[in-house]
Amino acid sequence: MTSSITHRGGEVRRETVRVRRATARDAKRLTRLVRTSRAYEGQYAAMVAGYRVGPDYIETHRVFAAVEPGTDRLLGFYSLVLAPPELDLMFVADDAQGLGIGRLLIGHLRDEAERVGLTGVRIVSHPPAEGFYRSVGARRTGTVAANPPAVMWDRPELLLPID
């Protein structure tokens, strides 16, 4: 899947952003994106402090990366678990926020989920990201209770219908 994205500051020019299957060679970059995300600063930092997206994880799940053409610069990624269907991870690079990368990844996720016959995908959202998921069609279905010490806060549970 490709899409034209223009960065406000000119870092990603009017080029085609490509979504491709992540490989084991991407593991360190994906891990760095998770651990350095500004969305997980402050009270949320503990959740990603030791998080690792390893080659084994990438080989086990459907992990897809949005990359800038020519440079293969990582703009974001997501991971779809099939059984049970769940969006396990989704991150957009801090400097690519607001460019439509998240929407591009959700569109790709929908296509991938439909291709494998899923009718819906569960999302347990980072609390500040709930609005984004609702804006792309996910419906709130409940709340997942905190699970200390890793997760100290309740999280919204949503369902993204696959048409």
Side-chain angles (χ1 to χ4, degrees):
M1 174 181 257
T2 59
S3 180
S4 291
I5 305 287
T6 303
H7 189 288
R8 293 179 297 254
E11 287 183 23
V12 177
R13 294 197 172 81
R14 194 171 268 295
E15 296 178 292
T16 304
V17 173
R18 186 168 63 97
V19 178
R20 62 164 175 78
R21 187 81 184 243
T23 67
R25 294 177 61 200
D26 293 315
K28 287 182 181 178
R29 293 191 307 158
L30 299 180
T31 296
R32 186 171 36 254
L33 182 58
V34 170
R35 288 185 183 176
T36 63
S37 173
R38 283 194 315 256
Y40 284 86
E41 291 179 331
Q43 67 175 334
Y44 300 115
M47 187 171 175
V48 298
Y51 202 88
R52 179 179 168 269
V53 181
D56 54 335
Y57 180 88
I58 293 168
E59 291 171 8
T60 302
H61 302 294
R62 293 174 186 264
V63 182
F64 293 90
V67 295
E68 187 176 17
T71 66
D72 204 43
R73 182 170 71 103
L74 180 64
L75 301 172
F77 78 98
Y78 77 88
S79 172
L80 174 63
V81 175
L82 296 182
E86 183 171 354
L87 173 63
D88 190 38
L89 298 170
M90 184 166 150
F91 283 83
V92 174
D94 291 337
D95 66 346
Q97 295 281 328
L99 301 178
I101 302 299
R103 290 182 186 282
L104 174 69
L105 290 171
I106 289 291
H108 188 277
L109 174 133
R110 278 194 159 113
D111 291 345
E112 183 69 12
E114 185 175 21
R115 189 178 70 70
V116 298
L118 301 178
T119 58
V121 175
R122 178 181 186 237
I123 301 169
V124 177
S125 176
H126 180 47
E130 179 182 6
F132 166 75
Y133 290 118
R134 292 176 67 140
S135 79
V136 295
R139 300 185 317 266
R140 178 106 185 228
T141 57
T143 301
V144 175
N147 185 17
V151 182
M152 302 299 289
W153 56 91
D154 293 346
R155 293 169 291 156
E157 180 178 26
L158 304 105
L159 179 68
L160 180 68
I162 305 301
D163 309 312

